[in-house]
Amino acid sequence: MQTIKSTIAENLGVAPTRSGDPHQLVEPRHRFSLEQVGDLSGKVALVTGGSEGVGFGCTHTLLKANIDKIFVLSKSQDIISQAKDAFAQDDQLDANANARLAWKQCDLTDWKSVQKVAREITDETERLDILIANAGKGIMTHALDRHGIDSHMSTNHLGHVVLIDALLPLLNKTVEKHQTYVRVVSLSSNLAEQTPQEVDFTQESDFKSDIGPQSLYARSKLANLLFARYLDREYSQKAGHDHVIFNACHPGVVETRQTQVWIHEPFPILGYGMNLLNPIKKDIFQGCVSAMYSATQPTKGGNFICPPAVPEEGPAKSRDQEMQDRLARLSKEIIERAGVTLLTIPV
């Protein structure tokens, strides 16, 4: 019975209970709400894709929690302008909310640009307490990026590898100077379980091949989870940086542009089936709960956190240390072949 309850809590926005809150279905020790984030005064955060969807929910929550500064990385100036307008009109936020937000235009498939933006951030702040790797390409048809890599893998995984690598020195500086935990959160998905069996990251084709819209997304989300667990094992534990916490999370089925609009690109008709789920999808604030828990609470890494704060094992592939190693090694080779040198991540 608890499995059924957890499935509802982790994926849906409503529950057949008096309160209607699905997050109340899990065991009390795994409950968490945005009100429990706590005061983040003096701290600095970064959210990729933080101007819409789950990322908007994260940015709003961080601002409400008095974050001192938040860097938002995204591609569209129009979308960040809309987000700022929404923040300015929100009674839950103070009048200085937008003054604490710094937008950086960044295309995660342009790895040189990602590294440049990371250097700018390092020059503009002396600390970084939270990094939420949220931006991503949803379930869409196959396309190759400028490097000849599947754009799902390039955006969802490799762009974030470059970003994390470039910002690790700043994260470490924050730990050393302020004697605090810093947390890196990767937005994965329970759809990672649907990655085809033949995908094992033994060859570069696993970064390029067309395996169908849903499997392309699943493969990239498996990579997010594998890499978070790799960093926890090889960087936090083995390299002695145990106050740098790496976790991945699943947001649930959330009503966003991905599930409303982009789903019709690969599935012009069947996409309406996803639209029919709107009444039971999580809204963006329900969808950001597991990310905000992961960004503010854990003192241990390597976990796959499902809403609201439920640690799940995740797919068997994600726990395969040899596969984690292969993914990290191939990721570095592909990125450095494109002329971007990784300096921090141990491979």
Side-chain angles (χ1 to χ4, degrees):
M1 191 62 178
Q2 185 59 42
T3 300
I4 295 173
K5 289 181 178 179
S6 291
T7 299
I8 294 172
E10 292 172 10
N11 294 288
L12 304 181
V14 296
T17 61
R18 182 172 297 178
S19 70
D21 181 3
H23 293 166
Q24 295 301 308
L25 294 176
V26 302
E27 297 176 38
R29 65 196 176 104
H30 294 318
R31 292 176 191 169
F32 183 77
S33 69
L34 297 182
E35 287 68 35
Q36 293 174 264
V37 165
D39 183 54
L40 300 177
S41 297
K43 296 192 174 184
V44 177
L46 181 155
V47 184
T48 65
S51 51
E52 64 175 319
V54 172
F56 179 99
C58 291
T59 300
H60 182 281
T61 303
L62 291 164
L63 289 170
K64 187 178 176 182
N66 302 314
I67 198 83
D68 192 64
K69 188 169 187 176
I70 177 170
F71 294 93
V72 170
L73 275 58
S74 65
K75 291 193 292 187
S76 172
Q77 188 163 13
D78 289 342
I79 300 297
I80 189 64
S81 295
Q82 292 172 24
K84 285 185 173 182
D85 288 344
F87 295 147
Q89 298 170 32
D90 195 314
D91 293 338
Q92 299 182 67
L93 302 180
D94 63 59
N96 295 319
N98 280 331
R100 292 184 280 122
L101 190 157
W103 177 61
K104 298 286 185 181
Q105 190 167 36
C106 185
D107 179 351
L108 286 167
T109 69
D110 184 348
W111 305 330
K112 289 183 179 180
S113 175
V114 172
Q115 201 170 61
K116 178 176 178 291
V117 167
R119 290 184 182 127
E120 290 175 3
I121 291 169
T122 300
D123 289 339
E124 293 173 21
T125 180
E126 66 166 16
R127 67 185 296 170
L128 184 62
D129 302 84
I130 295 168
L131 194 168
I132 302 177
N134 161 78
K137 181 176 180 178
I139 298 173
M140 299 181 75
T141 54
H142 183 251
L144 297 178
D145 77 345
R146 70 194 73 206
H147 310 293
I149 300 299
D150 161 47
S151 55
H152 287 84
M153 288 294 291
S154 184
T155 302
N156 300 1
H157 170 58
L158 292 170
H160 285 119
V161 171
V162 175
L163 182 68
I164 292 168
D165 175 79
L167 290 174
L168 274 174
L170 180 57
L171 294 167
N172 286 327
K173 177 182 175 183
T174 306
V175 170
E176 294 166 2
K177 184 171 182 178
H178 300 283
Q179 297 298 298
T180 186
Y181 287 103
V182 302
R183 297 175 177 91
V184 180
V185 185
S186 296
L187 269 287
S188 183
S189 169
N190 63 5
L191 281 180
E193 187 77 59
Q194 298 185 22
T195 305
Q197 187 61 36
E198 62 270 20
V199 174
D200 59 6
F201 300 110
T202 57
Q203 51 195 351
E204 199 169 308
S205 61
D206 285 332
F207 287 77
K208 298 179 177 181
S209 59
D210 183 0
I211 52 178
Q214 188 151 307
S215 292
L216 289 168
Y217 179 75
R219 179 173 66 186
S220 70
K221 292 297 154 179
L222 174 63
N224 293 148
L225 182 48
L226 281 164
F227 195 63
R229 286 179 160 165
Y230 173 84
L231 288 172
D232 171 68
R233 176 168 56 87
E234 292 295 324
Y235 188 79
S236 296
Q237 296 181 31
K238 288 188 179 179
H241 301 288
D242 60 348
H243 274 54
V244 183
I245 311 298
F246 298 94
N247 284 306
C249 69
H250 167 58
V253 183
V254 187
E255 188 173 358
T256 65
R257 191 155 55 126
Q258 288 189 2
T259 61
Q260 284 289 93
V261 179
W262 295 344
I263 193 67
H264 293 284
E265 187 267 342
F267 303 119
I269 304 301
L270 291 177
Y272 287 102
M274 178 63 77
N275 296 157
L276 291 174
L277 295 177
N278 287 351
I280 61 172
K281 290 177 187 173
K282 292 181 183 292
D283 63 35
I284 58 174
F285 292 104
Q286 291 173 312
C288 78
V289 169
S290 58
M292 290 310 307
Y293 169 82
S294 302
T296 60
Q297 306 300 313
T299 57
K300 300 291 183 183
N303 293 307
F304 181 45
I305 307 297
C306 294
V310 183
E312 298 280 5
E313 288 188 337
K317 282 177 179 283
S318 72
R319 304 189 300 276
D320 183 334
Q321 292 188 5
E322 292 184 358
M323 193 178 298
Q324 294 167 14
D325 293 344
R326 292 196 299 269
L327 173 74
R329 184 173 59 252
L330 272 174
S331 297
K332 182 174 183 178
E333 289 176 5
I334 290 168
I335 290 166
E336 295 198 335
R337 196 179 306 144
V340 177
T341 301
L342 299 185
L343 302 174
T344 312
I345 292 172
V347 179

